[in-house]
Amino acid sequence: MSECLLELETRLKRLSRLGEIAALVSWDQNTYMPPGAAESRAEQSSTLSQFRHELFTADETGSLLEKSDSETAGMAEDSDERRMISILRHDFDRATKLPTKLVAELSHHSSLSQETWINARKANDFASFAPALEKMFDLKRQVAECYGYEEHIYDALLDDFERGARQSEIKTQFEALKPTLITLAAAIRDSSNPVDSSFIQGSFSIDKQRDLTLDVVKALGYDLNRGRQDVAAHPFCTSFSRDDVRITTRFDENYIGQSLYASLHEAGHALYEQGLPVEHQQTALGGSASLGVHESQSRLWENQVGRSRAFCSYLYPTLKQRFPEAFSQHDSEAFYRAVNHVSPSLIRVEADEVTYNLHIMLRFELECELLTDKLAISDLPEAWNAKMRSYLGITPPDDASGVLQDVHWACGLVGYFPTYSLGNLLSAQIWNSAKKALPELDEQIKSGQFSPLLNWLRENVHQYGSKYTPGELIKLATGEPLDSRHYTEYLTRKFSDIYSLA
Ligand code: ZN
């Protein structure tokens, strides 16, 4: 390896360690931090992020990058060295393109706007949030112009979350998916074979739920020697290194699905993090490919595995033994149907597999229109409600359960929502490839053998870290580019069976 590249790597390892410390600080904030510490914690976090930004954007990083670039110019474009430089060049250019004044303004406005959003949601008062949202979209437009883009202003922002993705590609995938979802949701609503999910609501001891979720994630292959599970209001997974990957879940004493599927989802993220390439730790190749790919791993374990007939059959005897009052009168088929109950709902995070992506499409379409001034902020609530009616057949009774429900836009996460749906689409495509390679997969899951699937994912997805763009990775793992057909077929097959649709 070239001398400059080695020096650059050493610099980036320090940066990466600082990032890990920032993640630890944020994990603590979301789990155990006493509420009185909020202000000093915000300052600690911002000091860390400022320090990281300065270290990364320093002239020395730029000159090391340039020297490494010319020293490795003769190597194959696909070599680790060239890939590493290309990722760093991309990140460095973006980080140095924003004027310091804009970065500061954005960070300042982001905390203010979140504060305003919290109060507006509480008071169900969109008008009081509108000026802050207006300013946020102004700032994001400025950011996008600084970054630059070829096709659509949205691309410049999307790239922060999904390297190389384009608004036009997402639009194409979504347009292909939307009619199937709307038709399927309507057919399920009119089905003559409705699902009874009442028995998974009842009384479930939280201690027992804690034991159950831990046993389940351990069985999947989540290494608790390099991880742990805690409780958070909004479950998440975070990583301080590939040897300390933590998940959180939340418990509802009256509903067992809450903790079970939150844990399965976050464990899916964690399995990916624990499987990242050990030889590229703390380098530009050692991370995940993108948010969409990350979400594909959580969704795959949560849905394709966790909401499958095979998994329900595997888990049911344990459920029956640990919660006999709730489960002794039922069977695994009833449980399978119950955890796949579909019903259009107002709130995205509570949505089922069929309707979830309609919530995302609505947000994606609206943020594109807001960015390009095709929609005024003052008309946003009505536009939101009109799409809810047209896609899901329901109208939010108020803005708190409509346009004010998500924090994303308030903190400046514009271009983030599609990664959730990309994750769903990718999960079905990756699942199909895994099934082809593992013909016994259903039987294996039924008998609690998850390692063949995990090993396949390790080999075909995890081991590549961030070397490839999401587009390249999906081709490598599945042999074809992203195609929403895998997802529509998966949903149609599964729910036509459950709801006896013609
Ligand atoms: Zn997730």
Side-chain angles (χ1 to χ4, degrees):
M1 188 180 274
S2 87
E3 224 167 90
C4 289
L5 192 55
L6 265 180
E7 210 179 317
L8 183 63
E9 267 202 15
T10 311
R11 192 179 179 80
L12 291 162
K13 278 203 169 138
R14 285 176 60 210
L15 261 163
S16 177
R17 290 300 189 198
L18 286 170
E20 293 167 0
I21 294 166
L24 174 55
V25 161
S26 151
W27 170 83
D28 174 68
Q29 183 178 348
N30 288 299
T31 48
Y32 296 108
M33 186 188 82
E39 223 165 281
S40 57
R41 179 56 48 89
E43 274 183 37
Q44 290 159 350
S45 298
S46 99
T47 306
L48 260 172
S49 86
Q50 221 176 317
F51 185 44
R52 286 166 63 206
H53 183 74
E54 283 166 12
L55 193 61
F56 184 55
T57 55
D59 294 345
E60 206 187 330
T61 313
S63 94
L64 278 173
L65 243 177
E66 242 161 66
K67 285 184 204 151
S68 312
D69 193 14
S70 55
E71 274 183 13
T72 56
M75 300 175 98
E77 279 312 306
D78 201 34
S79 62
D80 287 350
E81 290 81 355
R82 294 299 295 168
R83 286 285 177 155
M84 199 180 299
I85 289 167
S86 135
I87 294 170
L88 288 171
R89 166 60 63 198
H90 169 268
D91 294 350
F92 182 78
D93 284 351
R94 278 173 77 85
T96 51
K97 267 179 182 167
L98 299 185
T100 322
K101 195 170 157 260
L102 181 57
V103 177
E105 206 180 344
L106 198 61
S107 131
H108 181 72
H109 182 63
S110 166
S111 11
L112 276 183
S113 142
Q114 281 179 69
E115 215 34 58
T116 316
W117 169 78
I118 291 171
N119 294 327
R121 191 168 74 150
K122 236 183 258 164
N124 185 30
D125 178 13
F126 178 78
S128 67
F129 175 56
L133 187 61
E134 180 107 54
K135 180 161 184 198
M136 181 56 86
F137 270 87
D138 269 351
L139 290 170
K140 294 309 282 191
R141 262 182 234 113
Q142 291 178 41
V143 167
E145 293 303 335
C146 292
Y147 284 155
Y149 50 86
E150 284 168 25
E151 276 180 28
H152 196 289
I153 187 168
Y154 195 85
D155 298 346
L157 303 176
L158 177 64
D159 195 78
D160 267 342
F161 315 111
E162 211 57 30
R163 206 162 25 122
R166 292 276 167 101
Q167 189 264 2
S168 55
E169 297 160 2
I170 290 177
K171 200 172 160 213
T172 308
Q173 298 292 341
F174 282 6
E175 290 302 323
L177 183 61
K178 201 192 311 181
T180 310
L181 297 182
I182 293 177
T183 313
L184 195 55
I188 290 171
R189 202 165 42 224
D190 300 334
S191 160
S192 56
N193 185 16
V195 160
D196 171 20
S197 60
S198 57
F199 70 101
I200 56 174
Q201 326 236 358
S203 177
F204 303 92
S205 130
I206 289 183
D207 281 342
K208 283 192 190 172
Q209 287 192 53
R210 186 175 293 111
D211 291 345
L212 175 78
T213 51
L214 273 173
D215 288 345
V216 167
V217 296
K218 213 160 98 183
L220 301 185
Y222 176 47
D223 180 358
L224 283 160
N225 190 39
R226 300 188 291 143
R228 53 179 286 135
Q229 175 174 272
D230 295 271
V231 176
H234 303 282
F236 62 93
C237 166
T238 185
S239 163
F240 315 141
S241 77
R242 72 190 283 290
D243 295 323
D244 191 348
V245 180
R246 304 191 184 184
I247 61 172
T248 55
T249 192
R250 62 176 164 197
F251 298 105
D252 178 344
E253 191 154 14
N254 302 121
Y255 174 46
I256 193 152
Q258 177 73 262
S259 63
L260 179 61
Y261 286 97
S263 290
L264 276 166
H265 181 98
E266 301 310 332
H269 282 301
L271 290 169
Y272 185 16
E273 290 286 331
Q274 289 188 332
L276 289 172
V278 63
E279 68 278 19
H280 292 309
Q281 281 184 96
Q282 285 92 36
T283 80
L285 301 183
S288 62
S290 71
L291 285 187
V293 173
H294 228 303
E295 194 66 7
S296 77
Q297 299 306 290
S298 57
R299 291 297 191 181
L300 186 141
W301 288 101
E302 177 194 353
N303 290 331
Q304 272 85 11
V305 176
R307 288 192 166 89
S308 69
R309 210 172 238 130
F311 183 82
C312 292
S313 154
Y314 151 76
L315 192 64
Y316 206 76
T318 309
L319 290 174
K320 215 166 159 174
Q321 187 206 351
R322 298 193 191 184
F323 304 95
E325 319 76 40
F327 294 114
S328 58
Q329 302 302 312
H330 300 270
D331 59 17
S332 79
E333 180 64 15
F335 182 67
Y336 167 66
R337 290 173 59 80
V339 298
N340 284 296
H341 179 242
V342 172
S343 174
S345 59
L346 296 167
I347 308 297
R348 173 184 61 87
V349 296
E350 293 166 6
D352 52 74
E353 276 188 278
V354 174
T355 57
Y356 185 88
N357 298 289
L358 292 168
H359 289 268
I360 298 299
M361 285 173 200
L362 169 157
R363 286 156 178 76
F364 166 72
E365 290 162 8
L366 292 176
E367 61 186 7
C368 288
E369 287 180 25
L370 287 172
L371 265 183
T372 51
D373 280 326
K374 284 190 183 121
L375 176 68
I377 294 282
S378 53
D379 296 330
L380 181 60
E382 190 35 53
W384 180 289
N385 293 348
K387 281 188 192 288
M388 283 295 290
R389 261 192 301 277
S390 138
Y391 299 169
L392 291 156
I394 47 176
T395 309
D398 51 43
D399 290 336
S401 52
V403 67
L404 285 172
Q405 67 182 268
D406 293 312
V407 70
H408 300 60
W409 290 338
C411 33
L413 293 174
V414 177
Y416 187 107
F417 281 119
T419 65
Y420 292 123
S421 282
L422 286 175
N424 285 326
L425 298 182
L426 288 168
S427 71
Q429 188 163 334
I430 292 171
W431 175 250
N432 278 350
S433 291
K435 275 189 86 154
K436 243 181 246 163
L438 305 167
E440 312 290 312
L441 187 54
D442 267 354
E443 285 308 310
Q444 288 162 348
I445 290 176
K446 222 170 162 175
S447 61
Q449 296 172 57
F450 300 101
S451 57
L453 175 61
L454 181 57
N455 291 337
W456 187 91
L457 292 168
R458 291 259 190 266
E459 199 176 311
N460 292 279
V461 179
H462 305 176
Q463 65 138 330
Y464 294 118
S466 43
K467 180 170 178 176
Y468 298 107
T469 64
E472 290 171 327
L473 181 63
I474 191 69
K475 265 192 228 166
L476 256 174
T478 70
E480 57 172 334
L482 174 67
D483 188 343
S484 62
R485 181 180 52 88
H486 293 280
Y487 193 67
T488 48
E489 282 174 11
Y490 156 74
L491 285 185
T492 308
R493 201 172 37 241
K494 177 174 178 179
F495 291 96
S496 297
D497 168 51
I498 292 175
Y499 281 92
S500 312
L501 308 177

